[in-house]
Amino acid sequence: MTEQTVNRDYRVMRRKLGLNQSQFWTAVRVTQSGGSRYESGRQAPANVDEMVRLRHELGIDTALITTENADLIRAILAGTLDSKLLLQNASRCRDLLIHLGNGAVDLTELAHSVSNLVSGHQETTHAPL
């Protein structure tokens, strides 16, 4: 299996983002001098190109990926966790926390919502707020 190469113009991308070389390349864990070589036409390794794509095209800060959230990210990418459902549950938890601050929600309701979020249940037994 051959590795696909991408012809990405890093200099154009960097300038469109309004970043200097140091800002652009440090964000993907490449030195400024290494990035300069890639901007001058040297082929970037696939892992560097993917880091550039994630950080500068998709806006994903890979430094935020930790051992605590890596399993969750893998599950979303594999399609075993419904990201839409996850976002809905996260929104519900935020709403519950806001109401809890106002004294309007019981802690058991919050615990149930968090439990559903963690276990991946698609249905809740409680009525919506």
Side-chain angles (χ1 to χ4, degrees):
M1 182 176 185
T2 59
E3 187 175 307
Q4 274 189 321
T5 58
V6 176
N7 253 352
R8 206 178 304 273
D9 191 333
Y10 299 113
R11 180 176 291 137
V12 168
M13 180 186 289
R14 177 177 60 78
R15 287 180 177 166
K16 281 183 182 177
L17 293 169
L19 301 174
N20 65 37
Q21 283 185 335
S22 181
Q23 293 167 323
F24 184 88
W25 291 107
T26 300
V28 294
R29 300 182 183 108
V30 172
T31 64
Q32 181 274 325
S33 61
S36 178
R37 286 191 291 273
Y38 301 142
E39 288 186 20
S40 297
R42 179 182 247 178
Q43 183 67 42
N47 63 328
V48 170
D49 188 69
E50 184 62 9
M51 291 294 285
V52 168
R53 187 181 78 80
L54 289 170
R55 181 68 184 110
H56 296 302
E57 284 186 5
L58 300 178
I60 298 170
D61 184 354
T62 57
L64 298 176
I65 299 172
T66 65
T67 54
E68 289 81 20
N69 65 21
D71 287 339
L72 182 62
I73 293 167
R74 278 192 287 276
I76 291 170
L77 294 174
T80 57
L81 180 63
D82 182 349
S83 60
K84 183 177 179 184
L85 177 64
L86 182 63
L87 291 171
Q88 287 171 344
N89 280 325
S91 178
R92 179 163 167 75
C93 286
R94 275 191 300 276
D95 291 346
L96 288 170
L97 285 171
I98 290 168
H99 291 305
L100 183 61
N102 295 332
V105 174
D106 188 278
L107 280 175
T108 56
E109 175 103 10
L110 177 62
H112 181 73
S113 293
V114 170
S115 175
N116 283 343
L117 175 67
V118 171
S119 65
H121 291 250
Q122 297 209 6
E123 296 181 44
T124 61
T125 56
H126 294 294
L129 293 176

